[in-house]
Amino acid sequence: MRRRPGIGGLQNAAAARDQYRLLGENVAKLRTDLMKEQLATFRSQLEDFARKHKNDIRKNPAFRAQFHEMCAKVGVDPLASNKGFWAELLGIGDFYYELGVQIIEVCLATRPHNGGLISLDDLCKLLGQRRKAVRETISEDDCLRAISKLKVLGSGFEVITVGKKKLVRSVPTELNKDHNEILELAQAQGFVTVDEVQRRLNWSSGRATDALETLLEEGLSMIDDGHRDGKRRYWFPCVSSVSTYVGADRL
């Protein structure tokens, strides 16, 4: 028969467990302290880097994107506030604030044409036209960061992905799966017909017509009935070329 451990044995086992637990806690604390020390060193080096490359960060969009990646890895958000070290050093908060205002202006100006849905690529091109005078090139990454700051204002701005395109939505329109599939299909030519939607997506005529008419009512598409085949074209400015924008040269 196996003998049960006595009281002394149980006490020794409990004491050993406590020692292991304390040892584990001490090791974890040492690791945490070391990580904090390393992060503090990285942040200090990041500040030195920012001082040295201030002009490159301001003027070169690719360099600016890499700088943001470096910041993210050490838990620094230069856009968190317009005040403080980063804003004073780089003026980077003002840069994105100004860009955010311009994004709102472009989206409002093009809304009658696209219903409040514009491709990120077209938005960047229109912003580039506006910013020629200041000679500061912007990238899609810059636009995405500015839009992410607009979202905290509850302004309804959001970036959605449809197929291979990123679209910026500036109105609280909810797009369902059917709408997204039609927008993805329209990327090939800029327009679709009811017959094409039926054939390519294997939908019924009623389903295709209902989804297309909803997009039309939301102002996201325009109709073109002037064709010999008699088939109505539903054009989608948000996936068409920026050159089609009415008055784009005046934005």
Side-chain angles (χ1 to χ4, degrees):
M1 294 179 62
R2 295 180 58 187
R3 298 180 59 185
R4 293 184 180 181
I7 294 177
L10 290 175
Q11 289 176 338
N12 290 336
R17 284 197 300 270
D18 287 341
Q19 288 179 347
Y20 283 128
R21 178 176 56 79
L22 289 172
L23 179 62
E25 289 176 354
N26 288 333
V27 170
K29 186 177 184 303
L30 286 172
R31 287 178 178 173
T32 300
D33 291 343
L34 181 60
M35 287 179 63
K36 288 180 179 178
E37 184 179 337
Q38 288 176 336
L39 281 175
T41 301
F42 289 151
R43 286 174 180 167
S44 176
Q45 292 173 345
L46 189 62
E47 290 176 9
D48 292 339
F49 178 87
R51 287 190 182 95
K52 183 177 179 180
H53 299 284
K54 176 180 178 179
N55 290 334
D56 290 322
I57 294 170
R58 285 280 301 179
K59 296 179 180 179
N60 187 321
F63 199 94
R64 192 161 52 243
Q66 292 175 350
F67 174 72
H68 278 295
E69 289 181 12
M70 291 169 58
C71 289
K73 289 178 180 178
V74 294
V76 172
D77 183 3
L79 306 183
S81 173
N82 273 346
K83 300 178 181 180
F85 169 78
W86 294 106
E88 292 175 6
L89 175 63
L90 300 174
I92 204 166
D94 292 336
F95 172 86
Y96 284 101
Y97 172 78
E98 178 187 342
L99 181 58
V101 171
Q102 291 175 342
I103 287 172
I104 293 173
E105 290 174 349
V106 169
C107 288
L108 288 175
T110 58
R111 188 176 292 176
H113 181 67
N114 57 33
L117 198 62
I118 182 173
S119 74
L120 180 62
D121 180 58
D122 285 352
L123 176 61
C124 289
K125 288 178 181 177
L126 293 173
L127 288 167
Q129 293 176 17
R130 292 185 60 127
R131 298 177 65 88
K132 284 180 180 178
V134 297
R135 297 182 181 180
E136 283 182 348
T137 306
I138 61 166
S139 65
E140 288 191 358
D141 182 77
D142 289 329
C143 288
L144 291 172
R145 292 183 189 280
I147 291 169
S148 72
K149 298 306 171 184
L150 291 176
K151 287 176 67 175
V152 303
L153 302 176
S155 54
F157 282 79
E158 183 180 13
V159 178
I160 61 175
T161 301
V162 177
K164 297 179 180 180
K165 277 187 175 285
K166 283 187 172 66
L167 305 177
V168 180
R169 183 169 61 191
S170 59
V171 291
T173 302
E174 290 296 329
L175 300 178
N176 60 31
K177 185 173 180 292
D178 284 2
H179 302 150
N180 285 337
E181 288 192 34
I182 288 175
L183 288 172
E184 184 174 357
L185 184 61
Q187 290 177 22
Q189 305 177 88
F191 71 87
V192 295
T193 64
V194 173
D195 288 346
E196 183 183 10
V197 173
Q198 286 182 253
R199 184 179 69 259
R200 298 284 298 278
L201 300 180
N202 197 27
W203 290 0
S204 67
S205 174
R207 180 179 179 181
T209 301
D210 179 65
L212 287 167
E213 288 299 314
T214 298
L215 290 168
L216 180 63
E217 291 171 6
E218 293 290 344
L220 300 178
S221 68
M222 300 183 295
I223 56 173
D224 179 6
D225 292 326
H227 292 268
R228 292 182 180 179
D229 59 10
K231 294 181 180 179
R232 169 173 286 185
R233 268 72 165 167
Y234 290 83
W235 284 89
F236 294 89
C238 62
V239 295
S240 301
S241 171
V242 70
S243 62
T244 64
Y245 279 95
V246 178
D249 57 334
R250 298 193 299 272
L251 289 175

